[in-house]
Amino acid sequence: MKKFKKSTIIVFTLNLVIVIYWLVNQKYFQVHDTTAGVRIFELTQSLRDGHFPPRWSKNFGFSLGMPLFQFYAPFAFYLGTIFNLLGFSIILSLKTVYLLTTIIGFSGAYLLGKKLTNHYGGLITATAFTLAPYHALNLYVRGATAEYVAISFIPFSIYFAFNLIDKKNQKNSYLGLVASLVVIYLSHNVTVLTFIPFWFCIISLYALSKWKPKELLVSFLAQMHSLLIAAFFLVPAFLQKNQTRVENITQGFSQFNLHFLYFRQLLKPNWGYGGSILGLDDDMSFYLGIDLILLTIFSIVFLFIKYKQTPSKRNLFKVLPFAIFLISFLLSVIATNFKSTFIWKMIPLTSFIQFPWRFLGTASFCLAVLAGYSMLSKTLKKNWFIIISIIIILNGRFFRPSKLIDLAETYDPNPQYVQTYMSGVLPDYLPSGVNWENQKVPQDIIQAQSDISRRNLPANSKIIITADTKINIIQNSTNNLLAKITATESDSLIINRYYFPNWQVSINDQIDSCQKTKDSRYACQIKPGESELKVVWSEKGVNAISNLVSVVSLFALLLIGIGPKLKTKFSK
C-alpha cells in the first residue's frame, strides 16, 4: 500500500507540475478567448450588487448590459469569483480554477482507471487524461476555461455511475454522480452536447452488460436529479434564447461545416497557436497522441488474445467495458470528420457546437481509459513508470504558451474597458436585431428626450425647447436603477439599458408608462412635476419556477447526504 501511495504521489506531482508550470508567475499568456478575466470581473460585481442568481452583466453591451450569465454556463466563473471575493486577483483566481480542476480531472481519471484495471492502469489513465493534447489546446492555445473545467469532471461522472451500478457505497456514489453532472451542466453548454449522449450510451451498455437494469434506472434518476438542480440555468437559457442574437454564433466563421477534420490531422503533432480553418492548413493542432493510440492498439490485441485463450466470465467483464469505451472513442472521432456531415444536419442543436473538433474532449477521455487497459499486461505493468515517462515526454511538451504577456486591462479590467472594448468582442447575448457594430457607449444611463433634441439642434436653429428635465440617479447597480425626475413639462425618458423580459420598468410604480423601443431600450413618458423611475430585475416567470425547482432538488440532495444509507427498491 505504501508503494502504491508513493507512486501515486510521484505521478500526480509530475502531472501537476507540467500542467501548471507556466501558470506560476505574475503574467498570463496569449490565448484565443480573452474574456475569462472580464467574466469573473462582471460576475463579482453582480454578486456585490446583490444580484443572485447572477443573470445580468452590467458593463457588457456598451454599458447597456446583457444577460451573459443567463445563457453562458457560469460554473467556472462562479468558482473564479469565489476566489476573487476572498481577495485573490482576477488572474490568480483564474489560475486557481485551472489548478483545482486539473487535480479533480487527474483524481477522477485515476479512480476510474483503477476500478476498470488496477492501480497502474489508474496511473496511466490519469496521466493520459491530464496530459491529453486537447487539454493543452484548451488551456494554452484557446483559453477555453469553461470547456477545460467541464471536461475535468467527465471521469468522475462515469466513475460514480459505475459504482452506483455496482452497488458500491451507493449513497456517496449517488451524491458524487449528481454533483459531477451538475458541474458539467453548469460549466459548458457545448460539452453537454458533445459528452452527455455518450454518458448515456456508456452507462447503459455497462449496466446491461452486467444485466443490472434496476441499477441503471437509479443512475438515470441521478441524471434527472442533476438536471433539476441545474434547472435554474438550463431552462431559462433554452426557453429565452430567442430574446438574444445567440443564433448568430452559428453563422459565418462559426459554421460547423467549415471546421471538420481529416483523420490524418489526429495523428500529426503539428503544434501551433493559430486558429481553425477549412481544410488541412489549420494553425492549431488536433493531435490525439500517437503514444496513447499505440497503447490502445496494444490493449485491443492483448484483451482479444487473453479472452480467446481463457474465455471466462471474469475476462468477459474486462473486455466489455473496454469495448464500450472503444466504440465511444470511434464514434466521437467520426463526429469530427466530414463523413459525419449528414448526421450533423439531422440532429437539432448541433449547430451550436460550432466546431466538430470539440468532440475531441470526449475522444481524449475515452482514449485515456483505453490506454489504461494496457496495464493488464504483466509485461507492461512491470515497466509502468517507463510508459508514464514516455507519455509525459511526448505530450507534456504541448503544455506551454506561445509567450507570456503583461496583464494590462484584459485580466485586470475596469468598467470602462468592458464597455468600450470587450463589448465588441463578446456581443453574443445582446437583443436580436441590435446594430451592435455601430453602437457606442451613451453619455448617460438615462436621457431626457428634450435634452437629446436640444443637443441635436444646429447652432443657428430658431427652435426653442423650453422643457427642462432634471435627472437625479439614486442607485445604478447591476439589478437596480432608481432615479428621481423633475420635469417642467411632459417629456419622455430614454433608458440606456437593453430590453429583457425580466426587467420591470416603471414610473411612479406605473409599468404601462414605459415601453420597448425599436433599438431594444426603454422609453418612459413622464408628466410635469416629480417622478420616480424604477428599473428592477425580477426573477419572475420561467426564472422563478426554475429557481424553485433547483432549490427543492438541492434540498433533496442535502437530505440524502445527511440521511441514512441510501436504500431503494432497486438495491434489494
Side-chain angles (χ1 to χ4, degrees):
M1 182 62 69
K2 289 183 178 179
K3 182 179 179 181
F4 283 3
K5 289 183 178 180
K6 184 177 180 180
S7 60
T8 304
I9 293 172
I10 292 173
V11 174
F12 167 74
T13 302
L14 287 172
N15 275 267
L16 196 61
V17 168
I18 289 169
V19 173
I20 70 168
Y21 177 80
W22 290 98
L23 298 179
V24 186
N25 52 67
Q26 297 296 319
K27 297 186 177 183
Y28 205 58
F29 40 86
Q30 286 185 334
V31 289
H32 296 173
D33 186 351
T34 59
T35 65
V38 177
R39 293 174 195 263
I40 293 176
F41 173 80
E42 286 294 288
L43 192 55
T44 299
Q45 178 169 320
S46 295
L47 291 174
R48 283 176 173 162
D49 285 342
H51 184 34
F52 188 85
R55 310 276 191 183
W56 193 259
S57 165
K58 180 183 177 182
N59 295 303
F60 273 109
F62 304 93
S63 82
L64 281 78
M66 72 177 183
L68 174 60
F69 307 111
Q70 174 104 338
F71 296 99
Y72 192 93
F75 177 81
F77 308 106
Y78 282 170
L79 200 56
T81 296
I82 291 173
F83 294 115
N84 192 219
L85 289 172
L86 289 174
F88 289 35
S89 66
I90 286 178
I91 194 64
L92 183 57
S93 300
L94 187 58
K95 291 180 178 181
T96 305
V97 169
Y98 284 131
L99 170 65
L100 289 179
T101 50
T102 299
I103 294 172
I104 289 169
F106 180 94
S107 303
Y110 167 74
L111 291 173
L112 177 61
K114 180 183 176 183
K115 176 181 177 63
L116 295 174
T117 58
N118 50 50
H119 166 70
Y120 297 107
L123 293 179
I124 294 292
T125 300
T127 301
F129 178 76
T130 304
L131 300 184
Y134 187 68
H135 291 174
L137 183 75
N138 281 336
L139 177 55
Y140 284 107
V141 179
R142 298 178 59 219
T145 306
E147 188 171 352
Y148 187 88
V149 170
I151 293 174
S152 296
F153 282 84
I154 286 178
F156 268 124
S157 74
I158 299 294
Y159 170 74
F160 285 123
F162 281 4
N163 274 355
L164 200 56
I165 291 169
D166 293 334
K167 296 183 179 180
K168 291 185 178 179
N169 200 346
Q170 283 189 294
K171 185 173 81 169
N172 288 343
S173 295
Y174 184 90
L175 296 173
L177 176 56
V178 172
S180 57
L181 287 172
V182 167
V183 171
I184 292 172
Y185 280 121
L186 295 181
S187 290
H188 193 235
N189 306 9
V190 172
T191 300
V192 171
L193 297 176
T194 58
F195 168 69
I196 293 300
F198 286 95
W199 183 93
F200 277 104
C201 292
I202 292 170
I203 300 308
S204 298
L205 292 173
Y206 182 81
L208 295 177
S209 70
K210 298 188 173 187
W211 193 242
K212 293 186 175 182
K214 294 180 179 179
E215 288 75 13
L216 177 61
L217 290 178
V218 179
S219 297
F220 285 175
L221 177 63
Q223 174 71 243
M224 179 58 67
H225 200 159
S226 68
L227 280 168
L228 293 175
I229 292 176
F232 78 95
F233 166 74
L234 295 174
V235 176
F238 181 75
L239 294 182
Q240 293 187 312
K241 65 180 185 298
N242 62 329
Q243 298 287 343
T244 72
R245 60 181 301 276
V246 69
E247 297 282 351
N248 293 33
I249 68 173
T250 66
Q251 301 172 11
F253 171 78
S254 298
Q255 295 179 69
F256 68 81
N257 59 305
L258 301 179
H259 300 280
F260 281 111
L261 302 181
Y262 295 86
F263 289 133
R264 72 194 84 162
Q265 290 180 276
L266 305 177
L267 304 176
K268 292 183 178 180
N270 54 325
W271 203 255
Y273 294 88
S276 168
I277 60 174
L278 180 65
L280 290 166
D281 297 323
D282 303 87
D283 194 24
M284 60 189 287
S285 178
F286 306 105
Y287 180 58
L288 281 174
I290 195 67
D291 50 333
L292 306 182
I293 293 174
L294 290 175
L295 284 174
T296 297
I297 294 173
F298 175 87
S299 299
I300 293 172
V301 175
F302 172 80
L303 288 173
F304 177 78
I305 294 174
K306 186 176 181 64
Y307 183 70
K308 289 289 287 185
Q309 291 176 344
T310 53
S312 64
K313 188 175 181 180
R314 180 181 179 184
N315 285 338
L316 178 63
F317 284 145
K318 289 290 184 183
V319 171
L320 287 177
F322 179 87
I324 293 169
F325 283 103
L326 180 60
I327 293 170
S328 299
F329 169 71
L330 294 174
L331 290 176
S332 58
V333 166
I334 290 171
T336 69
N337 188 265
F338 287 97
K339 298 184 185 299
S340 65
T341 303
F342 73 99
I343 300 176
W344 283 73
K345 292 181 178 179
M346 288 170 53
I347 302 176
L349 297 179
T350 52
S351 60
F352 286 98
I353 296 174
Q354 299 174 302
F355 309 106
W357 42 258
R358 278 173 158 166
F359 276 97
L360 292 180
T362 299
S364 296
F365 162 68
C366 293
L367 186 62
V369 174
L370 295 172
Y373 272 86
S374 63
M375 290 297 102
L376 292 177
S377 164
K378 292 182 180 179
T379 303
L380 292 189
K381 186 178 176 181
K382 292 178 181 178
N383 298 288
W384 67 272
F385 192 75
I386 295 176
I387 294 173
I388 283 182
S389 298
I390 292 172
I391 295 174
I392 289 174
I393 292 170
L394 292 180
N395 297 333
R397 57 189 167 139
F398 302 125
F399 285 82
R400 58 180 301 143
S402 58
K403 66 176 181 179
L404 294 175
I405 58 173
D406 292 325
L407 301 183
E409 293 178 304
T410 305
Y411 296 99
D412 186 21
N414 56 66
Q416 291 71 33
Y417 178 74
V418 181
Q419 294 168 12
T420 57
Y421 178 70
M422 294 305 296
S423 293
V425 174
L426 184 60
D428 297 350
Y429 308 107
L430 296 177
S432 56
V434 167
N435 183 18
W436 64 271
E437 293 94 339
N438 298 317
Q439 178 64 51
K440 295 181 179 180
V441 178
Q443 292 183 357
D444 303 297
I445 183 66
I446 303 173
Q447 294 175 301
Q449 187 61 53
S450 56
D451 288 338
I452 296 174
S453 301
R454 188 178 293 111
R455 291 173 187 171
N456 291 335
L457 287 176
N460 58 351
S461 175
K462 295 182 180 181
I463 298 176
I464 299 175
I465 298 176
T466 60
D468 186 15
T469 302
K470 304 295 184 183
I471 302 171
N472 180 24
I473 305 296
I474 305 300
Q475 182 182 7
N476 180 17
S477 62
T478 302
N479 55 332
N480 280 287
L481 174 61
L482 176 63
K484 298 291 185 180
I485 315 295
T486 304
T488 58
E489 299 179 16
S490 294
D491 205 345
S492 62
L493 302 178
I494 302 298
I495 302 169
N496 289 314
R497 185 156 291 182
Y498 275 132
Y499 168 84
F500 200 73
N502 291 86
W503 285 117
Q504 287 188 341
V505 185
S506 64
I507 297 289
N508 296 327
D509 296 323
Q510 299 298 312
I511 296 178
D512 56 2
S513 300
C514 304
Q515 59 186 359
K516 177 184 175 182
T517 65
K518 291 182 179 180
D519 58 356
S520 294
R521 306 184 197 193
Y522 290 93
C524 300
Q525 299 298 318
I526 58 171
K527 298 177 181 179
E530 293 187 353
S531 302
E532 183 180 67
L533 168 69
K534 292 181 181 178
V535 182
V536 180
W537 180 273
S538 173
E539 286 290 293
K540 60 182 180 180
V542 65
N543 283 31
I545 297 172
S546 302
N547 290 345
L548 180 61
V549 169
S550 293
V551 170
V552 172
S553 302
L554 182 58
F555 183 70
L557 188 69
L558 293 175
L559 288 180
I560 293 173
I562 64 177
K565 184 178 179 181
L566 181 64
K567 292 182 180 179
T568 72
K569 62 180 181 180
F570 301 121
S571 63
K572 294 179 181 178

